[in-house]
Amino acid sequence: MVVFLLVLVVVLALLGAVHWYVWRRLVRDVTVAGSRARRFGTAAVVVLPLLSLAALVSARAGAPFPVQQAVAWPGFLWLAVLLYLVLALVAGEAVRPLLRVRTSRRAAAAPAEPVPAAVSVSANEPAGNAEPPAEPATASATEPESATEPEPVTAPAAAPAGDVSRRLFVSRVVAGSAAAVAVGTVGYGTYGVLRGPRVKRVTVPLAKIPRAAHGYRIAVVSDIHLGPILGRAHTQRIVDSINATQPDLIAVVGDLVDGTVENLGPAAEPLARLRARHGSFFVTGNHEYFSGADAWVDHVRELGLRPLRNARVEIPAGFDLAGVDDVAGESEGQGPDFARALGDRDRARAAVLLAHQPIVVHDAVRHGVDLQLSGHTHGGQLWPGNYLAELANPTVAGLERYGDTQLYVSRGAGAWGPPVRVGAPSDITIVELASKQA
């Protein structure tokens, strides 16, 4: 408990420091004290993180689902915008001095404007800076007076952007550019999620697959993340995309939902229209255990999917399909049981394992699995999150080999938190098995 509180304090302090930095660069440095823009910007920097906090905790706090939906869009989107605002502003720190030098040089090179000396001295200027009074004329009346014109003095060059100082001009350029980059990046990433996942195809050669199974197609979909933002229309797009590929088998490898069956049951209903020659299978992900795993397992079974909870089936094409519960289930006395799922089987047959998290691949190797299909990582979802994902997972996305086991990790079909993906597009993968006997 003490460790949790310390971590919480550190996280809150970090978020506070980040928001102060954003307020300083995006509000204080570019607005006039007391102005309406300053007040509005300050209010936004206070309200938006509160909405983000509400979006993160509303579901677990048992808030009504309409409330969850109301806070989810602004709260989660702000987290994505905040990430790219900070990255762009930090990059702008390197550009800021260069802009100042450039504007200073342009100001110095600007042509000087002559101003009469009489107007160059203000009424408030100290007397020591004024010209002494003229001496009485001593020349004769017939001698012509010397008509000396006053020497011109130069006025300071006008600052860039009219009356705005160079410093304010540079601050506004950097802040405006950072805001444009952040909003543009998040906007494009949101479009990619709401458009729906693209279908990609991967061929996996397996030594034990019989010739009759050559070309067998498994549609792999993970991390759909139905919730207050992604709902029934998202599910329907995924179902339509999968059915269009006419797969032999469909594997839903966890993190289907972020919420209860009561709230999200209607959003999951299109899954009942999945079509494959050898059926559709489901294994739990860590988010199912935040949402009532047993209730969701029962519900997907009602929708026509077959849950594999530490279980195995023989596929008529000539290989075994196994599935294990997610490691998050260990907190509820469940979790993966490889001996139960893979024990006492004929190891001359190929084994394909459905497991939500890639980290169990080493257990898969020990139990003679030929191919493990996983998700969980989202491919990092928001660049540079992929670098953090690499620290926690053996494979972030794609196909890799571990001993005699091949591991394929999907980037997922949805998004958790912000409905945004940057550098990690969502996908549905058609894994085509290739027999070395063909």
Side-chain angles (χ1 to χ4, degrees), residues 43-355:
V45 173
V46 172
V47 171
L48 287 170
L50 294 178
L51 287 173
S52 297
L53 180 62
L56 289 167
V57 304
S58 59
R60 296 193 187 187
F65 194 61
V67 173
Q68 296 179 39
Q69 292 175 306
V71 298
W73 273 104
F76 282 132
L77 282 177
W78 170 243
L79 292 177
V81 171
L82 178 65
L83 170 63
Y84 293 107
L85 263 180
V86 171
L87 291 176
L89 287 171
V90 170
E93 300 296 344
V95 178
R96 190 181 299 270
L98 300 178
L99 287 175
R100 286 179 183 165
V101 170
R102 181 176 178 81
T103 54
S104 296
R105 288 178 177 175
R106 291 182 64 183
E113 296 181 3
V115 178
V119 300
S120 66
V121 179
S122 67
N124 296 325
E125 187 170 356
N129 293 335
E131 292 291 333
E135 293 292 333
T138 58
S140 63
T142 58
E143 186 177 356
E145 293 184 0
S146 59
T148 57
E149 296 183 359
E151 295 183 3
V153 295
T154 57
D163 295 332
V164 183
S165 70
R166 287 193 297 273
R167 185 180 296 273
L168 184 57
F169 173 73
V170 169
S171 294
R172 287 179 172 175
V173 168
V174 172
S177 299
V181 168
V183 172
T185 300
V186 171
Y188 183 75
T190 303
Y191 166 75
V193 171
L194 300 182
R195 175 195 61 197
R198 294 304 193 216
V199 175
K200 61 184 298 186
R201 300 175 186 274
V202 175
T203 300
V204 181
L206 295 178
K208 298 177 185 177
I209 286 288
R211 181 178 300 181
H214 183 73
Y216 192 90
R217 292 169 301 156
I218 303 174
V220 180
V221 60
S222 73
D223 301 278
I224 295 174
H225 284 291
L226 300 179
I229 293 179
L230 300 176
R232 187 186 183 96
H234 180 62
T235 311
Q236 189 62 59
R237 283 190 293 269
I238 291 170
V239 169
D240 291 343
S241 296
I242 291 175
N243 287 345
T245 68
Q246 299 181 327
D248 298 299
L249 184 148
I250 299 169
V252 182
V253 289
D255 278 9
L256 171 64
V257 292
D258 287 306
T260 64
V261 173
E262 178 184 2
N263 290 332
L264 297 175
E269 284 180 359
L271 295 174
R273 294 188 281 277
L274 286 171
R275 295 290 179 266
R277 180 161 60 105
H278 291 145
S280 303
F281 297 84
F282 171 80
V283 293
T284 58
N286 55 308
H287 281 248
E288 271 72 58
Y289 291 95
F290 306 147
S291 308
D294 291 335
W296 273 111
V297 167
D298 291 340
H299 190 66
V300 298
R301 185 182 286 113
E302 293 172 1
L303 294 175
L305 283 73
R306 179 172 178 178
L308 291 176
R309 307 200 68 179
N310 301 317
R312 180 181 75 252
V313 295
E314 293 186 359
I315 301 301
F319 65 92
D320 294 336
L321 180 71
V324 293
D325 285 347
D326 187 70
V327 294
E330 293 174 350
S331 62
E332 300 182 10
Q334 299 175 13
D337 187 338
F338 288 89
R340 179 180 168 190
L342 295 163
D344 301 325
R345 73 177 190 86
D346 181 4
R347 290 209 174 193
R349 290 168 57 90
V352 176
L353 173 69
L354 309 183

